[in-house]
Amino acid sequence: EDKVVQSPLSLVVHEGDTVTLNCSYEVTNFRSLLWYKQEKKAPTFLFMLTSSGIEKKSGRLSSILDKKELSSILNITATQTGDSAIYLCAVEALGIGETSGSRLTFGEGTQLTVNP
Amino acid sequence: DTGVSQDPRHKITKRGQNVTFRCDPISEHNRLYWYRQTLGQGPEFLTYFQNEAQLEKSRLLSDRFSAERPKGSFSTLEIQRTEQGDSAMYLCASSYQGARAGANVLTFGAGSRLTVL
């Protein structure tokens, strides 16, 4: 059974701090790893990672995948109160007999709180 | 297109009643997913459709749960004889997957929150 573990589960920081969120996975036929941000409603897509060692960046957020260590990190620099959210890591695996992925398996998420 | 729409946004029901949720995906998306999320947990996969075909169902999906996507557009998720343990946010997501394998980025709806009393 596919498994995704995130750490820490909860993090409280002050504005301006830099945070690193971790995601590790055990999955058969890995295809991609995705990060989502969830505020009080729907998860919104941040990054998709398929290749090891290639950093994806979007403003103050960046993420990288390590397929050897079966893990990924999400970095947020100069945090702002608007970064407060649950950050979800999900892994997509190829289904048997499929050429494209099907389900995403999510971790529990990291609840990030940024205080002013 | 305004994204993935779900209805109702909130549903309060008594134990034993049946409930139905509706999801309207992004119109050009051929895949539609249902997930369930409880407080403090990540979304748990329930089932997904490619067009009108239901291709996979989670072991979590008991016989009381049924999902349909009759014309390959909107989908419904019905829960029969609801139990208090069914209280959760039910999230719908959609994606486009072409003949050539490519990124499968899900776009989520805002969810339907179910409370079973």
Side-chain angles (χ1 to χ4, degrees):
Chain A
E1 185 175 322
D2 299 341
K3 190 175 176 183
V4 179
V5 177
Q6 292 187 243
S7 64
L9 294 181
S10 178
L11 189 56
V12 180
V13 300
H14 292 291
E15 265 192 319
D17 288 350
T18 293
V19 298
T20 298
L21 310 183
N22 301 287
C23 176
S24 63
Y25 60 89
E26 294 175 25
V27 63
T28 305
N29 296 328
F30 172 90
R31 178 183 157 86
S32 65
L33 185 145
L34 297 90
W35 285 96
Y36 283 82
K37 177 182 181 182
Q38 186 175 27
E39 294 171 269
K40 292 195 184 295
K41 40 190 179 178
T44 54
F45 172 74
L46 294 175
F47 299 111
M48 186 186 72
L49 305 157
T50 55
S51 300
S52 262
I54 298 175
E55 187 181 50
K56 293 276 182 91
K57 287 198 73 164
S58 177
R60 296 176 293 101
L61 276 67
S62 63
S63 184
I64 196 161
L65 175 66
D66 186 336
K67 288 167 105 170
K68 188 176 176 185
E69 296 296 325
L70 306 182
S71 65
S72 173
I73 60 171
L74 175 68
N75 282 318
I76 308 175
T77 59
T79 51
Q80 303 171 356
T81 54
D83 295 327
S84 296
I86 298 171
Y87 289 84
L88 295 165
C89 173
V91 171
E92 182 188 16
L94 287 172
I96 296 171
E98 288 185 69
T99 57
S100 59
S102 56
R103 72 170 84 176
L104 295 185
T105 300
F106 283 84
E108 288 183 66
T110 294
Q111 172 75 63
L112 174 65
T113 303
V114 181
N115 290 324
Chain B
D1 193 353
T2 55
V4 178
S5 300
Q6 292 189 243
D7 182 70
R9 294 291 306 278
H10 303 275
K11 178 73 177 178
I12 300 173
T13 191
K14 291 183 180 177
R15 189 175 54 188
Q17 298 294 304
N18 299 343
V19 296
T20 300
F21 301 116
R22 176 180 169 125
C23 173
D24 287 89
I26 292 172
S27 56
E28 59 266 27
H29 284 182
N30 55 359
R31 285 196 171 181
L32 187 148
Y33 298 76
W34 285 100
Y35 281 81
R36 178 172 66 189
Q37 187 175 26
T38 53
L39 200 62
Q41 301 294 316
E44 294 175 297
F45 171 79
L46 294 178
T47 189
Y48 92 97
F49 294 83
Q50 176 142 327
N51 300 314
E52 64 276 6
Q54 188 172 18
L55 294 189
E56 190 173 352
K57 286 175 18 174
S58 166
R59 288 189 298 272
L60 293 174
L61 213 63
S62 79
D63 292 343
R64 298 184 297 105
F65 287 71
S66 62
E68 294 183 341
R69 195 183 182 198
K71 297 181 181 177
S73 56
F74 74 92
S75 174
T76 57
L77 176 69
E78 182 183 17
I79 309 173
Q80 295 182 324
R81 305 181 302 282
T82 51
E83 301 172 357
Q84 288 182 324
D86 297 332
S87 295
M89 176 75 85
Y90 290 85
L91 292 167
C92 176
S94 68
S95 69
Y96 177 76
Q97 197 67 54
R100 292 179 65 184
N104 188 28
V105 177
L106 273 60
T107 301
F108 283 86
S112 292
R113 182 169 294 284
L114 173 66
T115 302
V116 181
L117 302 176

